């Protein structure tokens, strides 16, 4: 049966059964159409607001499959997208009517404990990498939710509990294997295709499909001191004021995240606070555990906590502690700012807008990131914004499509109210579907964006990789 696919120019093309069969013959993985049983699951990503239907899904099993998929798409002028973990808020993994190049089967991780490096394929999640590296008491600089894909995280910058010590995720990439728009396989590193290496460390999916990443690893764990302390929402201003001082003075081994939300029915929270506003601080200390106890003591002495689960725990467990707050299949809409610090205005606005949350799943989060990233110049990588001390994420999350307007408006209102508190920068991985060129420029800065645009013209002059946050202007 002939299938109709969307072209890069917005038109359509009909592919005959013979053409499709010829592609399948050169492709080792699965090629799915809407009639295949696995199609529906393959097209669904973490954010249920994304409901696009690719015409074809090419589920790659290796680099050769990626090359074949790119060449096939180029030959027929197909609109294409690339799926790694499928965890991007804007749903960039899924294109409407075109070819989705699915990397999710590529999950291999190889650790070299002597060199303190790990090579991970592009379909890996953070949990895949942590599991293998922690076998050797090592860790890469990754994010906060174990189901997040490493590929999108890394090419968009990436931050997590180790960022204060070691910088952005992309600052700690040693090399990458890349399939270009022309179907060529390149190695990008500090001494090989170094301009492409620069672009891929924050330039998102504009320059090619990274099939594997080589990360620098650091001694961490396997046991760290971490967890969360929670207080009643009535104490939010007092707690955030204390958090401001606590986080500003903390050594880099200690990273904390403040969260304002409605208490979920989680087993670590007492039943009497379920469904009521709370403020919580998540902490992760990766230095000597004994020293961490003394550092965290001031938080424990603050007011009257309703729960305290800070304890010695495996680092892998800390890395998945927030997973339950972001299950696949909910509707998500985020707005975010970089902050130069936390002032009284930020605290007052956060508390005010947290009081307007109408979904039991939404939250306002303050991620602490200042430290090592500020020691490199703004142009070290496209993931600049090295003047930022915190990330403010206004995370709308709910269940029913009919409620979209309520929760989207809440996030937008909070975002606009807190704009004056921002550095003016933006994190590319947190940009929603409708955010355009002004926010892309805020993510990169004018100088970095101009350099990215020039490299885009060199490596992808026809804008084959267009289903991303474009640097082409």
């Amino acid at each position: 049966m002939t299938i109709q696919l969307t072209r890069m120019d917005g038109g359509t093309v009909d592919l005959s059964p013979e053409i499709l069969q010829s592609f399948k013959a050169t492709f080792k993985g699965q090629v799915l159409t809407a009639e295949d049983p696995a199609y529906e699951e393959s097209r669904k990503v973490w954010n249920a607001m994304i409901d696009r239907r690719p015409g074809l899904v090419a589920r790659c099993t290796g680099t050769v499959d990626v090359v074949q998929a790119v060449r096939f798409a180029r030959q027929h002028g197909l609109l294409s997208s690339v799926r790694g973990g499928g965890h991007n808020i804007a749903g960039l993994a899924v294109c409407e009517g075109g070819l989705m190049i699915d990397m999710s089967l590529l999950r291999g991780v190889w650790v070299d404990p002597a060199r303190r490096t790990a090579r991970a394929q592009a379909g890996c999640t953070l949990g895949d990498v942590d599991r293998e590296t922690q076998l050797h008491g090592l860790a890469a600089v990754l994010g906060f939710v174990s189901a997040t894909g490493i590929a999108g995280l890394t090419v968009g910058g990436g931050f997590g509990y180790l960022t204060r010590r070691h910088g952005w995720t992309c600052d700690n990439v040693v090399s990458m294997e890349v399939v270009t728009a022309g179907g060529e396989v390149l190695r990008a590193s500090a001494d090989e295709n170094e301009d492409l290496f620069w672009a891929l460390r924050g330039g998102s999916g504009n320059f090619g499909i990274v099939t594997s990443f080589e990360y620098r690893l650091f001694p961490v764990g396997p046991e760290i001191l971490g967890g969360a302390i929670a207080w009643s929402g009535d104490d939010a201003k007092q707690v955030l004021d204390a958090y401001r001082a606590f986080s500003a003075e903390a050594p880099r081994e200690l990273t904390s995240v403040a969260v304002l939300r409605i208490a979920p029915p989680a087993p670590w929270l007492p039943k009497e606070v379920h469904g009521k506003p709370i403020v919580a601080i998540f902490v992760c200390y990766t230095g000597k555990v004994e020293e961490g106890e003394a550092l965290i003591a001031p938080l424990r002495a603050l007011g009257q906590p309703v729960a305290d689960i800070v304890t010695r725990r495996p680092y892998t467990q800390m890395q998945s502690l927030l997973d339950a707050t972001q299950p696949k299949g909910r509707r998500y809409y985020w707005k975010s700012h970089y902050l130069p610090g936390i002032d009284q205005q930020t605290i007052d606005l956060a508390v005010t807008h947290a009081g307007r949350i109408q979904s039991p799943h939404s939250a306002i989060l303050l991620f602490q990131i200042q430290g090592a990233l500020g020691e490199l110049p703004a142009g070290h990588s496209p993931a600049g914004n090295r003047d930022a001390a915190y990330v403010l994420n206004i995370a709308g999350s709910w269940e029913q499509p009919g409620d979209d307007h309520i929760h989207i408006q809440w996030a937008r209102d909070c975002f606009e109210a807190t704009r004056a508190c921002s550095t003016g920068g933006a994190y590319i991985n947190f940009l929603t579907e409708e955010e355009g060129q002004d926010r892309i420029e805020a993510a990169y800065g004018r100088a970095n964006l101009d350099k990215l645009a020039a490299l885009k013209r060199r490596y992808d002059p026809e804008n084959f990789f267009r289903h991303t946050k474009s640097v082409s202007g």
Side-chain angles (χ1 to χ4, degrees):
M1 182 178 70
T2 298
I3 64 168
Q4 190 175 80
L5 298 178
T6 302
R7 292 176 50 87
M8 285 193 292
D9 61 10
T12 59
V13 60
D14 292 330
L15 295 187
S16 69
E18 292 76 20
I19 291 175
L20 185 57
Q21 190 55 45
S22 176
F23 174 48
K24 288 182 176 180
T26 67
F27 194 84
K28 186 178 179 182
Q30 297 175 299
V31 178
L32 306 175
T33 66
E35 285 71 40
D36 289 300
Y39 172 84
E40 278 299 315
E41 184 57 31
S42 72
R43 77 175 186 88
K44 290 179 180 177
V45 289
W46 163 75
N47 186 357
M49 290 189 73
I50 309 304
D51 192 27
R52 304 188 195 106
R53 302 183 66 84
L56 279 179
V57 177
R59 306 192 77 187
C60 303
T61 58
T63 302
V64 174
D65 277 352
V66 179
V67 171
Q68 294 295 85
V70 168
R71 290 176 178 173
F72 178 75
R74 286 293 301 270
Q75 180 184 355
H76 299 284
L78 302 180
L79 176 68
S80 301
S81 62
V82 183
R83 173 177 178 156
H87 210 269
N88 178 261
I89 186 69
L92 299 176
V94 193
C95 61
E96 184 63 48
L99 172 67
M100 183 170 79
I101 302 172
D102 184 355
M103 313 289 284
S104 62
L105 299 180
L106 301 177
R107 302 285 284 269
V109 181
W110 297 269
V111 179
D112 185 335
R115 291 181 59 236
R116 290 185 178 173
T117 61
R119 170 71 63 178
Q121 290 182 298
C124 288
T125 64
L126 311 191
D128 293 332
V129 177
D130 285 333
R131 182 171 180 268
E132 295 295 332
T133 58
Q134 278 292 280
L135 181 65
H136 306 280
L138 299 169
V141 179
L142 298 173
F144 295 93
V145 175
S146 71
T148 302
I150 63 166
L153 176 91
T154 305
V155 298
F159 65 92
Y161 290 117
L162 301 182
T163 290
R164 297 196 64 219
R165 298 182 69 178
H166 306 296
W168 301 126
T169 300
C170 66
D171 291 340
N172 295 285
V173 175
V174 178
S175 69
M176 309 180 204
E177 181 185 76
V178 191
V179 177
T180 68
E184 185 181 5
V185 181
L186 299 179
R187 183 179 185 270
S189 69
D191 54 14
E192 200 170 350
N193 299 300
E194 57 270 24
D195 57 349
L196 179 60
F197 184 57
W198 180 87
L200 289 167
R201 288 179 295 143
S204 196
N206 282 281
F207 300 93
I209 302 174
V210 180
T211 55
S212 68
F213 298 83
E214 184 184 9
Y215 293 105
R216 189 176 297 111
L217 304 179
F218 302 94
V220 173
E223 186 178 74
I224 55 90
L225 182 69
I229 304 172
W231 296 261
S232 165
D234 293 338
D235 299 325
K237 285 191 177 183
Q238 176 192 359
V239 171
L240 289 184
D241 189 56
Y243 172 69
R244 170 174 54 182
F246 171 81
S247 58
E249 297 169 2
R252 292 183 182 182
E253 292 83 1
L254 178 56
T255 295
S256 52
V257 182
V259 182
L260 295 160
R261 61 165 299 163
I262 294 169
W268 67 279
L269 290 167
K271 288 184 179 179
E272 55 267 27
V273 303
H274 291 179
K276 297 178 181 178
I278 59 167
V279 55
I281 298 177
F282 288 77
V283 295
C284 178
Y285 182 74
T286 54
K288 293 181 179 179
V289 173
E290 299 77 13
E291 296 174 359
E293 294 280 4
L295 288 167
I296 292 168
L299 282 185
R300 289 185 150 142
L302 178 64
Q304 295 182 316
V306 297
D308 181 347
I309 56 166
V310 176
T311 187
R312 296 174 183 235
R313 65 175 74 237
Y315 179 68
T316 52
Q317 190 181 89
M318 188 71 212
Q319 284 287 86
S320 60
L321 213 58
L322 290 171
D323 286 9
T325 68
Q326 295 190 31
K328 182 179 178 179
R330 277 192 192 143
R331 304 179 75 77
Y332 296 96
Y333 181 88
W334 292 354
K335 300 290 280 186
S336 66
H337 294 295
Y338 282 122
L339 304 179
I342 299 174
D343 58 18
Q344 193 59 50
Q345 182 184 15
T346 305
I347 292 172
D348 291 344
L349 288 169
V351 172
T352 296
H353 286 273
R356 297 172 184 170
I357 289 175
Q358 296 190 52
S359 168
H361 310 305
S362 294
I364 295 174
L365 302 99
L366 287 160
F367 296 95
Q368 182 187 17
I369 60 171
Q370 85 273 26
L373 62 88
E375 295 174 350
L376 292 169
H380 176 76
S381 69
N385 287 287
R386 296 179 184 276
D387 57 342
Y390 299 84
V391 178
L392 170 66
N393 193 32
I394 305 150
S397 175
W398 64 99
E399 302 283 355
Q400 299 302 322
D403 295 333
D404 286 2
H405 65 290
I406 298 171
H407 306 296
I408 289 173
Q409 193 59 53
W410 167 77
R412 289 174 175 170
D413 288 346
C414 184
F415 173 76
E416 290 301 330
T418 53
R419 188 187 289 271
C421 305
S422 169
T423 64
Y427 179 42
I428 198 74
N429 283 341
F430 281 3
L431 297 190
T432 46
E433 190 174 4
E434 83 281 4
E435 292 184 278
Q437 202 61 32
D438 61 327
R439 294 290 284 162
I440 294 171
E441 183 171 341
Y444 295 124
R446 187 71 252 171
N448 280 351
L449 185 56
D450 287 346
K451 185 175 178 180
L452 286 170
L455 290 169
K456 178 73 169 177
R457 291 190 291 272
R458 175 180 175 183
Y459 283 98
D460 186 15
E462 296 177 11
N463 198 18
F464 176 77
F465 297 111
R466 65 184 60 195
H467 210 271
T468 186
K469 290 297 182 182
S470 176
V471 299
S472 299

